[in-house]
Amino acid sequence: MKRRIMKIWDKMDIAGPIAGMLIMLYISWNGSYFGSRLLVRHFGWSFSEYGYHLFVMAMQIIIFFVCGATIAYATRGKDQNFYRPILTAMRQISQGDFKVELENSGQYRQFGGIVEGINEMASELSRMELMRQDFIASVSHEIQSPLTSIRGFAAALQEENLSPDIRKHYLDIIEAESRRLSGLSDNLLKLSVLEAESFPFERKPYRLDKQVQVMILAAEPQWLGKEIEVEAELQETTVTAVQDLLSQVWTNLLHNSIKFTPQGGRIIVTVRSMGEWVEVEVRDSGIGMTEEELERIFERFYKADKSRSVNSGSGSGLGLPLVKKIVELHEGSVHVTSRPGEGTAFVVRLPQQSG
């Protein structure tokens, strides 16, 4: 019904100018016909038949344009009222003011789509601006934290009466904070490159089970240090993917599980083939997450366990967003299930042949 009304309205918009044109032609034709007779009779002019027809035609043209000018002058304010809100809104947007919303009333008629487009553009730009400001604030906070620690402990090292043990402790903290700052910078660069799709994305076939095995062994000092039992069920599987990028995925997931699994806990890593798909699951017996934390786990700079991050080493909050982006670039998906006190399971699903 709404579509039918819009069609009728559009026909009226087209019929209006046509009707106006016909009225102007009617007025000019009748005005020239009767006006020329009155002028000839009043001034006593005499024309040949051909000259009289030319005189009538000239009268028609003059009356037609006079009518057009009169209508244009009379509707000049309406045209300005029609375009002024649109031009004002576009000017505000160009100046960085995205709090613009035009009322899409009947006055815009067939141009209602343009008004809706301007409103959508302003809304999207406003959302992006808020995201940009939040991102800058988050980056500033994450950079400021390790810099403050480095500056503070560097100043403390200036004291000459420090014992060798305390001095080494301060130096270890400075080194750890420097690595954290470097990791933050590295992850930000990787995310920006991946989102700009400027990474040399060349997929090659390789053994996924062997890659995951290598990642588990590379993290051995971390899980042995916490006496964590690690089980691996790795089915022989070949995928076509970017090996360096997927190594980032397994490294992040393993380090997360180790970080949030208590002393003497357990981690199970599974690789299984499922027809055209392959699944990699990293399950731990760690502290788990709440529903609220699960909803935000892939947001940039979000840290689900703020209380433990101080003691166990604060991450950048970019590891899981990086995981999600890499998996999506491989046409895959990543899902997480967790309950407080019962551990967490990340499941990455990838096509065995992609691209």
Side-chain angles (χ1 to χ4, degrees):
M1 182 66 182
K2 182 179 179 181
R3 188 175 296 177
R4 183 181 297 176
I5 293 173
M6 291 300 296
K7 287 182 178 179
I8 295 172
W9 187 257
D10 290 341
K11 289 179 181 178
M12 290 175 64
D13 290 338
I14 297 172
I18 294 176
M21 186 74 68
L22 291 174
I23 292 172
M24 288 171 59
L25 288 173
Y26 178 81
I27 293 173
S28 62
W29 188 85
N30 282 277
S32 63
Y33 179 80
F34 293 105
S36 59
R37 286 174 175 268
L38 290 174
L39 289 173
V40 167
R41 187 179 304 164
H42 179 75
F43 292 104
W45 294 336
S46 68
F47 295 100
S48 64
E49 184 178 355
Y50 177 72
Y52 181 73
H53 284 300
L54 287 177
F55 177 66
V56 172
M57 289 176 62
M59 289 282 294
Q60 286 177 342
I61 293 172
I62 292 170
I63 294 173
F64 183 84
F65 280 105
V66 167
C67 289
T70 303
I71 293 173
Y73 180 80
T75 59
R76 182 180 56 179
K78 294 183 179 179
D79 290 340
Q80 290 178 351
N81 292 334
F82 179 86
Y83 291 112
R84 188 180 293 113
I86 296 177
L87 294 176
T88 301
M90 294 178 70
R91 192 175 294 113
Q92 286 179 253
I93 292 173
S94 68
Q95 293 173 354
D97 180 7
F98 305 127
K99 296 179 180 179
V100 173
E101 185 175 359
L102 291 172
E103 184 181 353
N104 191 7
S105 58
Q107 71 181 60
Y108 296 110
R109 300 178 183 176
Q110 72 268 31
F111 298 102
I114 296 176
V115 174
E116 285 297 321
I118 291 174
N119 288 338
E120 289 177 10
M121 178 177 64
S123 176
E124 187 65 19
L125 287 172
S126 178
R127 187 181 69 84
M128 291 177 65
E129 177 64 16
L130 288 174
M131 288 176 62
R132 185 186 69 85
Q133 293 175 0
D134 183 62
F135 177 76
I136 292 173
S138 298
V139 171
S140 300
H141 173 76
E142 291 296 328
I143 291 176
Q144 188 63 33
S145 179
L147 285 178
T148 301
S149 295
I150 292 170
R151 185 170 60 248
F153 286 106
L157 286 172
Q158 301 296 325
E159 298 182 13
E160 297 180 356
N161 59 346
L162 289 177
S163 67
D165 290 340
I166 294 178
R167 188 178 297 274
K168 184 180 182 303
H169 177 63
Y170 288 174
L171 288 171
D172 288 341
I173 293 176
I174 291 174
E175 183 183 4
E177 291 297 293
S178 298
R179 284 198 303 267
R180 176 183 164 195
L181 193 58
S182 177
L184 172 63
S185 174
D186 186 50
N187 283 337
L188 279 173
L189 179 60
K190 286 176 182 175
L191 271 176
S192 63
V193 168
L194 290 174
E195 290 180 347
E197 299 185 357
S198 57
F199 186 86
F201 208 67
E202 297 180 6
R203 296 179 174 92
K204 294 180 181 179
Y206 71 92
R207 285 278 298 277
L208 179 63
D209 55 301
K210 287 187 175 181
Q211 182 188 38
V212 174
Q213 183 182 25
V214 170
M215 295 297 104
I216 294 173
L217 293 175
E220 186 175 7
Q222 287 77 37
W223 50 266
L224 280 181
K226 296 182 70 174
E227 299 179 354
I228 295 173
E229 179 186 353
V230 177
E231 294 183 13
E233 302 173 7
L234 310 178
Q235 182 181 347
E236 182 177 328
T237 308
T238 300
V239 295
T240 301
V242 184
Q243 190 168 354
D244 290 341
L245 285 181
L246 285 186
S247 67
Q248 293 286 323
V249 173
W250 318 133
T251 299
N252 276 311
L253 293 182
L254 283 168
H255 284 186
N256 257 13
S257 291
I258 295 169
K259 179 180 178 181
F260 296 113
T261 298
Q263 193 86 7
R266 188 181 184 191
I267 296 175
I268 302 174
V269 183
T270 306
V271 176
R272 49 181 172 261
S273 179
M274 305 178 66
E276 297 180 354
W277 298 86
V278 60
E279 282 189 354
V280 179
E281 181 181 19
V282 180
R283 181 181 295 273
D284 62 56
S285 61
I287 60 176
M289 289 178 284
T290 64
E291 288 291 334
E292 181 185 356
E293 290 169 339
L294 283 175
E295 292 177 359
R296 302 186 59 191
I297 194 66
F298 293 109
E299 292 181 15
R300 291 182 180 185
F301 301 109
Y302 179 73
K303 300 173 186 177
D305 187 27
K306 296 179 177 62
S307 61
R308 282 201 55 193
S309 64
V310 177
N311 301 320
S312 60
S314 177
S316 65
L318 292 174
L320 290 178
L322 189 61
V323 165
K324 189 172 188 291
K325 185 62 181 179
I326 292 172
V327 172
E328 288 177 348
L329 285 174
H330 284 84
E331 293 92 40
S333 61
V334 56
H335 301 283
V336 56
T337 56
S338 183
R339 296 181 68 178
E342 297 183 12
T344 302
F346 284 90
V347 178
V348 175
R349 197 168 190 238
L350 295 168
Q352 293 200 48
Q353 302 290 331
S354 59

